[in-house]
Amino acid sequence: MDKQQEFVLRTLEERDIRFVRLWFTDVLGFLKSVAVAPAELEGAFAEGIGFDGSAIEGFTRVYESDMIAAPDPSTFQVLPWQGGGPSDSARMFCDIVLPDGSPSWADPRHVLRRALAKAADMGFTFYTHPEVEFFLLKEHPETGRPPVPVDSGGYFDLTTHDVAHDFRRVAVAALEAMGISVEFSHHECAPGQQEIDLRYADALSTADNIMTFRYIMKEVALAQDVYATFMPKPFSDQPGSGMHTHLSLFEGDQNAFHDPSDELNLSKTARSFIAGLLRHAREVTAVTNQWVNSYKRLFGDPSPELVAEAPGFVCWGHLNRSALVRVPMHKPGKANSTRIEIRSPDSACNPYLAFALLLAAGLAGIEGEYELPAGAEDDVSSLTENERRAAGYVDLPHNLADALRAMESSELVAETLGEHVFDYVLRSKRAEWAAYRSKVTPYELERYLPVL
């Protein structure tokens, strides 16, 4: 037994922990959990916890269903207790393995681990820093009833409302109690919309933190009699919820993206990485924006007085918030602050798969020495279609079907996800699109029924 496992077992006894929740994620990014008693944990470390993989979305077929959840002791954290007293529960993330001990190709954590291993072979460590947006609603939405936001606030507003008035304070305290560092939190542009930015960490830790984040937000919301949703665009006339993510590569302690001699402080490595993101952007969109509703955010039409910052077009720019890839302002004297920001992912993606593909696209740019095109200085979304075409700006997929067509012919996506996950995502998402396409919407009835 290693020292980390010994620390976990000792903490269980010292903190009087009665329930240990073992978490893992299915292919679509939904959190799964099995609770074990502390007395069983030593055995779980040694042998794992067996379960029926065929019952988990995208994991395996019935005739090869035996799988094992192996707890990762480095992810152990005591869960916060809403009442303010000591907690009796803790959680750990699991790696999913087969009975022979080999990693499961269906495990999203393993998909990301393989991508990180390739980066490590090239001498890089991959860091990410997500800005997670979501909505707070007054109540759990019911079919046929429109969602109602908890407030009417806007960007950076200090809102006063009768429900969940201290939501962000309580939520941030819960995250910090679990060792998840928060950099900023504030009200976003739309009524009821929140943003909480997690401090940068290695990509695997960040993906674990995002899964924990979504769980904590929903739990804190329920405790305050409201509902938190990560649906990309719940309101037609308001901006959607994205997950702008800052990316950087390090070689040891050195930021591989930094070059003080460049006008934007971007190294050749950074420029090739951006070029890789741009070239493969359409191919990875079915994963970074995996829901039918995701494309209402990318190509939505909010109220004229609101700024829509969701990127619908493949380009990059310095300080340009309409671009797919933005280069934030460099902090003089802080080489480690040089980074890039990818703005297309939404907060309902599977972070393990999304980070794996973003990394793979960037590394492909580095390996292939892709040339970075000229940056965009204009608000790309305000240009006409002809102006964008003349400037060479390609659209991101306009809907899930377009995204799946771009993905299915991508060698990069197939290789990064592995055959099992690649095939499952295509099959599952085609079924989702077919179900959506067959529905007659209230919009169609309202627009066409009276006149046709």
Side-chain angles (χ1 to χ4, degrees), residues 77 80 168-182 196-198 209 212-214 216-217 220:
Q77 286 289 347
R168 286 199 303 275
R169 180 184 64 79
V170 175
V172 169
L175 292 170
E176 297 277 2
M178 293 196 67
I180 299 174
S181 297
V182 172
I196 298 179
D197 300 356
L198 305 184
N209 288 345
T212 305
F213 177 98
R214 297 202 295 225
I216 292 293
M217 293 308 105
V220 173

Side-chain angles (χ1 to χ4, degrees), residues 7 47 70 109 140 164 250-251 306 344 423:
F7 167 77
E47 301 176 358
R109 273 186 119 229
H140 193 291
F250 274 67
E251 295 177 292
L306 293 174
S344 56
D423 288 345

Side-chain angles (χ1 to χ4, degrees), residues 65-240:
S65 60
D66 289 345
M67 305 190 92
I68 295 169
D72 179 353
S74 69
T75 66
F76 175 83
Q77 286 289 347
V78 176
L79 290 167
W81 180 255
Q82 290 292 332
S87 174
D88 65 352
S89 299
R91 74 95 166 96
M92 275 184 287
F93 280 94
C94 294
D95 294 307
I96 306 304
V97 300
L98 302 178
D100 64 3
S102 61
S104 166
W105 286 81
D107 180 13
R109 273 186 119 229
H110 178 60
V111 172
L112 180 53
R113 282 188 191 276
R114 284 192 292 112
L116 294 173
K118 179 176 180 179
D121 289 342
M122 297 172 64
F124 298 124
T125 305
F126 183 46
Y127 289 95
T128 57
H129 154 54
E131 304 172 357
V132 191
E133 297 173 346
F134 59 99
F135 280 91
L136 286 183
L137 308 179
K138 284 190 173 180
E139 57 189 4
H140 193 291
E142 296 182 7
T143 303
R145 294 177 60 181
V148 180
V150 297
D151 60 55
S152 57
Y155 188 67
F156 266 41
D157 277 359
L158 179 60
T159 56
T160 302
H161 41 90
D162 57 354
V163 292
H165 60 277
D166 61 347
F167 173 86
R168 286 199 303 275
R169 180 184 64 79
V170 175
V172 169
L175 292 170
E176 297 277 2
M178 293 196 67
I180 299 174
S181 297
V182 172
E183 196 166 50
F184 304 111
S185 67
H186 60 85
H187 199 287
E188 253 299 338
C189 295
Q193 192 177 33
Q194 319 293 316
E195 177 177 314
I196 298 179
D197 300 356
L198 305 184
R199 190 172 294 279
Y200 86 97
D202 68 274
L204 183 62
S205 296
T206 303
D208 288 343
N209 288 345
I210 291 169
M211 297 306 302
T212 305
F213 177 98
R214 297 202 295 225
Y215 168 80
I216 292 293
M217 293 308 105
K218 287 185 174 289
E219 287 292 309
V220 173
L222 287 173
Q224 299 200 7
D225 295 322
V226 294
Y227 181 76
T229 179
F230 294 90
M231 181 178 176
K233 193 170 173 69
F235 300 99
S236 296
D237 59 348
Q238 298 292 343

